[in-house]
Amino acid sequence: MTGGVMKWIVPWEFSWVFLACFLAAAFLYAGGSRRLRVPPGRRLAFWVGMALVYGTLHTYFDYFAEHEFFMHRIQQVLLHHLAPLLIVASYPGTALRAGLPLALRVRLRRAGNTGAARICAAVLLNPAFVTLSFVALILVWLIPDMQTLAMLDWRIYRAMNWSMIASGLAYWWLVLDHRPKPPGRMSPGIRVLSPAFTMTPQIVAGAIVTFSRTDLYPIFEICGRAFTMNVLTGQLIGGVIMWVPAAMIESAGGLLALRQWLRLSRLGRLPKRPLPRRAAMVRQ
């Protein structure tokens, strides 16, 4: 029994870099959340998201993702959609900062106020850039040739997975921002509508894969398939995973953004539009 459990816990491909980053984030959040008394619901969202990241990247699950197309699609949906959404929805920024030593917090704040840091943030967190990257990275790695490269080179494979996490965290950080604009980078209305735009090309791509009658990803045959099922059946399941669960997760993100919009409206924190000239004259 113990041996069977250990098989699933032991990483398929061990990574010191991933483990160091994961443990650093976990320790910082654990320490910071104790200092700030973070609500249980937000703690649960953070740890579930972290568990999904670890489980899909650093356990035996990764073996199936490398040897079966639909399992790979599950991995990508979890890394790109669900795990980042849960982590960002927990609003972990203040807890992570609180977990840092005071001297380091001061240094990071000073570094963030420099011109170079502001320019980098303006470029890398630009809403158009982040949104396009969020969609493009899903579509690029679906190109059969790119999928083949990722499966044949472990460095490209890890870059693919890390890009999924990074783009997911950046996108949901913009969409679930609880502040008005400014200082938020997206207006509350655009945050609600954005998931509808980003899910559309993914739904189309999922439909193309679902209804394809040819094996689009023969690289999984070369690597050796994990399950003895029909190739087109596995491809169909993978397409449906891209199509339905991914769209449902993005819809949930849009609802969370709507909740923040309503909260800002209730608190009177939305910017007020200037009255038309004629209406202003009538009021006077």
Side-chain angles (χ1 to χ4, degrees):
M1 180 69 177
T2 305
V5 173
M6 288 299 296
K7 174 187 175 181
W8 291 98
I9 296 176
V10 173
W12 170 242
E13 291 184 351
F14 186 82
S15 170
W16 281 111
V17 175
F18 171 81
L19 187 61
C21 293
F22 183 88
L23 291 178
F27 281 121
L28 287 177
Y29 185 83
S33 60
R34 283 196 299 269
R35 292 179 184 177
L36 298 178
R37 297 180 181 178
V38 177
R42 285 169 55 184
R43 290 192 187 192
L44 179 63
F46 178 83
W47 290 118
V48 171
M50 290 286 283
L52 289 174
V53 171
Y54 190 90
T56 51
L57 282 184
H58 219 235
T59 65
Y60 198 70
F61 182 92
D62 196 36
Y63 164 81
F64 293 99
E66 291 186 24
H67 292 82
E68 201 68 54
F69 175 72
F70 76 90
M71 294 295 290
H72 182 66
R73 287 297 94 204
I74 293 174
Q75 183 188 53
Q76 297 296 286
V77 168
L78 293 176
L79 290 177
H80 193 242
H81 287 66
L82 185 56
L85 176 63
L86 289 171
I87 292 172
V88 174
S90 71
Y91 297 100
T94 53
L96 291 171
R97 283 193 296 269
L100 291 169
L102 179 59
L104 186 54
R105 272 183 275 166
V106 173
R107 289 182 182 179
L108 288 176
R109 181 173 295 179
R110 288 176 181 172
N113 290 330
T114 61
R118 291 181 177 179
I119 291 173
C120 288
V123 174
L124 297 179
L125 295 177
N126 177 274
F129 174 76
V130 171
T131 303
L132 290 175
S133 298
F134 183 78
V135 177
L137 283 170
I138 277 286
L139 300 180
V140 163
W141 294 116
L142 271 176
I143 299 172
D145 288 343
M146 294 298 294
Q147 185 80 78
T148 300
L149 285 176
M151 290 302 168
L152 293 179
D153 191 323
W154 65 271
R155 292 163 297 187
I156 299 177
Y157 180 78
R158 287 188 180 178
M160 173 182 65
N161 288 335
W162 281 76
S163 69
M164 293 290 103
I165 299 173
S167 65
L169 289 173
Y171 177 72
W172 291 120
W173 183 79
L174 291 179
V175 170
L176 299 186
D177 197 338
H178 63 282
R179 305 168 299 173
K181 179 187 178 181
R185 296 178 183 273
M186 272 187 181
S187 66
I190 296 298
R191 294 172 200 163
V192 176
L193 295 175
S194 182
F197 295 128
T198 56
M199 77 170 70
T200 302
Q202 297 176 69
I203 290 174
V204 172
I208 292 172
V209 173
T210 299
F211 296 113
S212 176
R213 297 291 81 190
T214 59
D215 184 8
L216 298 176
Y217 305 98
I219 184 61
F220 289 96
E221 193 70 41
I222 298 171
C223 293
R225 297 188 182 274
F227 303 114
T228 56
M229 66 164 52
N230 184 274
V231 172
L232 294 181
T233 300
Q235 189 168 279
L236 182 147
I237 295 172
V240 171
I241 289 169
M242 293 168 51
W243 187 348
V244 181
M248 292 175 65
I249 293 169
E250 292 210 41
S251 298
L255 291 175
L256 290 175
L258 177 61
R259 179 186 178 188
Q260 290 295 350
W261 189 10
L262 295 175
R263 183 186 66 84
L264 290 171
S265 177
R266 186 173 64 253
L267 297 175
R269 296 185 62 194
L270 294 177
K272 296 180 179 179
R273 296 180 179 179
L275 290 173
R277 185 176 179 182
R278 186 174 298 178
M281 293 176 63
V282 170
R283 278 198 172 188
Q284 292 176 357

